Amino acid sequence: MKKAIKSVIAVALASTMAATALAGCGAGSSSGSAASAGGSGEKVTLNLGYWDNERQGDTMRKLVAAYTKENPNVTINLQYTPYKGGEYWTKLDASMNGGTAPDVFWMNCLHAKKYVNGNMLEPLDDALKAANIDVTKDFPTALSQIYTFNSKVYAVPKDFDTNAVWYNKEIFDAAKVPYPKDGWTWEDMVATAKKLTNSSKGIYGIASPLDFQTCYWNTIFANGGSIVSSDSKSTLYSDAKTMGGIQPWIDLILKDKVSPDINTLTDNSADSLFESGKLAMCYGASYMIAEYLSSDTIKGKVNLVSLPTLNGSKGNVINGLGYAVYSKSKQKEAAKKLAAWLGSAEAQKIQGEVGAVISARNDAQQYFTKTQPSLNLQVYIDAVADSKPLPTLTVSSELFDNESKYLKQAWAGTMTLKDACAKLDADNKTLLEKEK
């Protein structure tokens, strides 16, 4: 998700959606009317779009097998599209324009509002009620809010991710430094990183990548800051609490000397450095587990701990995917029934037991921690209580592009953080005028 969020939405969706509405094209596939497809037993074929086949492909195939076993009249075609480079969203936009979008598909918070505004997503409240699912009670509040617009639910929460600090026990042992413990502070983390940084071996204590979701937004929230005002009319980068949550990351590079510089982190991601044994500690989201454990260099040598407090407070970023239904689907009722089932206790148990992601349902999160009992995965679930969701804006990608443009200069020491934040707020003022 981290890399995915950085992708740019290249298509002018608003005009695309308008064209689609005028065309009035249907979508979906195969036999059966929308009315009969919900449960008459008539054969129905549904297309289910998703983007992560490497880590979640097995999960999706197990879910399809379970659902079609219970509903033998339904055939589900999984449609995988890579996320990299924005391919998933570009293809989804094009298929909506042509009236051929998948009946059910993965959605994230950064795109949901734009599709809702374009009338491309079907409200799911009636299907959820029929399935006895209450998103306000069955899922974390932050997740249920992400996909609720004008009191209607437009996607069933699928999973969520929060953040923690991973550490390489082998590097700690070699330096005779105790492993970090939950409840530690930012100052503890910096002091530990200094003990572990060994330039002669090319090892750094930690990394400070320009990564908002995994890194500095967590400390902004912990410090009481925010990115966007409550009315979404302005950004708040120049707020003292917001800057106070960003500055410690710059200090890791320029002052504390415990992180590679921004040019190095541009050429080599913090994740790749951690996986190659060059980082003692690394901020990592829960969706990175499979990738970290696939590294032969660090496998069996790592564990994780909760994020350090900043100025005495905790903060974390929560984000989650959802299952949405295409409003032009010819199999709308069957699609809504499938989407609701994917949010059921049965489906989320199947997903949780695979262990690729944390199931969104409150009663299914336990399965994730059991998949890797040697790791302290509970910290990801405990972090929900201190977390805030990413903002749901129609201009999210443009905002993140601006953030990267100016903060990269602050990370490099060529612009002060104060000046970078001032430029961000000025540029985003015009940008947010587009927000509806």
Side-chain angles (χ1 to χ4, degrees):
M1 187 66 186
K2 173 168 56 180
K3 299 178 180 69
I5 282 177
K6 295 175 180 175
S7 301
V8 176
I9 304 172
V11 177
L13 187 61
S15 60
T16 298
M17 291 173 171
T20 303
L22 289 172
C25 296
S29 59
S30 79
S31 61
S33 68
S36 65
S40 67
E42 185 175 351
K43 291 186 178 301
V44 176
T45 298
L46 297 173
N47 294 321
L48 174 53
Y50 71 111
W51 65 67
D52 185 355
N53 193 48
E54 182 177 355
R55 291 178 296 182
Q56 299 193 58
D58 287 344
T59 305
M60 297 307 297
R61 286 183 280 276
K62 288 183 178 181
L63 289 169
V64 168
Y67 188 79
T68 54
K69 184 178 180 180
E70 296 176 13
N71 301 272
N73 63 312
V74 178
T75 298
I76 300 173
N77 296 322
L78 286 173
Q79 293 186 343
Y80 162 70
T81 305
Y83 200 105
K84 187 176 182 179
E87 183 176 349
Y88 179 86
W89 301 108
T90 300
K91 185 176 179 180
L92 184 61
D93 291 348
S95 63
M96 285 184 173
N97 190 36
T100 58
D103 304 282
V104 181
F105 49 90
W106 286 10
M107 176 55 58
N108 71 13
C109 67
L110 300 182
H111 294 78
K113 187 175 182 180
K114 184 172 289 187
Y115 287 111
V116 169
N117 286 351
N119 297 318
M120 291 294 108
L121 303 187
E122 184 70 13
L124 302 175
D125 302 85
D126 55 347
L128 291 168
K129 184 178 181 180
N132 197 29
I133 294 174
D134 184 343
V135 294
T136 65
K137 296 180 179 178
D138 294 329
F139 300 91
T141 301
L143 290 181
S144 64
Q145 291 175 341
I146 287 175
Y147 296 112
T148 300
F149 299 90
N150 299 319
S151 302
K152 295 181 179 179
V153 178
Y154 285 91
V156 182
K158 172 187 176 294
D159 58 47
F160 73 83
D161 52 78
T162 54
N163 303 286
V165 176
W166 286 72
Y167 59 92
N168 184 321
K169 293 186 291 185
E170 187 173 59
I171 296 177
F172 273 74
D173 292 343
K176 298 181 179 179
V177 175
Y179 302 150
K181 297 180 179 179
D182 294 335
W184 62 334
T185 67
W186 183 270
E187 289 76 16
D188 293 336
M189 187 187 76
V190 173
T192 301
K194 288 181 178 178
K195 295 175 183 176
L196 296 166
T197 299
N198 188 333
S199 57
S200 65
K201 295 182 178 179
I203 294 175
Y204 285 90
I206 198 163
S208 177
L210 197 57
D211 186 329
F212 62 91
Q213 183 185 353
T214 305
C215 296
Y216 57 88
W217 278 27
N218 296 283
T219 45
I220 289 174
F221 292 158
N223 204 46
S226 185
I227 301 300
V228 182
S229 63
S230 58
D231 60 3
S232 300
K233 298 296 184 183
S234 61
T235 54
L236 303 171
Y237 291 98
S238 296
D239 179 84
K241 292 181 178 178
T242 301
M243 289 197 295
I246 299 174
Q247 185 64 51
W249 289 93
I250 299 172
D251 289 345
L252 291 178
I253 297 175
L254 303 180
K255 175 185 172 185
D256 303 317
K257 312 291 185 183
V258 294
S259 166
D261 62 32
I262 190 61
N263 290 329
T264 300
L265 291 170
T266 300
D267 295 335
N268 302 279
S269 71
D271 297 320
S272 66
L273 291 172
F274 184 66
E275 292 163 24
S276 61
K278 296 300 182 182
L279 279 184
M281 297 182 286
C282 179
Y283 270 55
S286 47
Y287 53 78
M288 291 301 296
I289 294 171
E291 180 173 325
Y292 289 164
L293 298 186
S294 69
S295 167
D296 291 334
T297 302
I298 63 172
K299 188 175 183 179
K301 304 173 183 176
V302 296
N303 208 335
L304 60 160
V305 64
S306 59
L307 298 186
T309 59
L310 181 66
N311 295 327
S313 297
K314 298 178 180 178
N316 215 300
V317 176
I318 187 171
N319 182 47
L321 305 186
Y323 292 105
V325 170
Y326 182 35
S327 63
K328 309 298 181 185
S329 167
K330 291 181 178 178
Q331 312 291 347
K332 193 181 300 181
E333 294 306 314
K336 290 164 64 177
K337 181 181 176 182
L338 170 61
W341 179 84
L342 289 165
S344 69
E346 177 187 2
Q348 300 251 320
K349 180 175 185 290
I350 293 171
Q351 176 181 252
E353 289 180 337
V354 174
V357 292
I358 307 172
S359 287
R361 279 186 69 103
N362 295 323
D363 58 9
Q365 295 166 10
Q366 58 180 307
Y367 303 114
F368 171 77
T369 62
K370 296 177 181 177
T371 59
Q372 298 289 341
S374 65
L375 298 177
N376 185 22
L377 298 182
Q378 184 64 36
V379 296
Y380 283 126
I381 296 173
D382 293 343
V384 173
D386 306 309
S387 65
K388 293 184 178 181
L390 296 171
T392 51
L393 302 169
T394 60
V395 294
S396 294
S397 291
E398 294 94 329
L399 186 146
F400 297 143
D401 286 345
N402 281 341
E403 194 174 279
S404 178
K405 173 184 176 182
Y406 291 116
L407 291 187
K408 186 173 185 178
Q409 298 176 67
W411 252 244
T414 57
M415 179 182 288
T416 66
L417 177 60
K418 183 178 180 180
D419 287 346
C421 290
K423 289 184 176 297
L424 271 169
D425 285 336
D427 282 11
N428 290 331
K429 184 177 181 180
T430 302
L431 178 65
L432 288 173
E433 289 177 354
K434 303 175 185 176
E435 189 66 22
K436 298 179 180 178

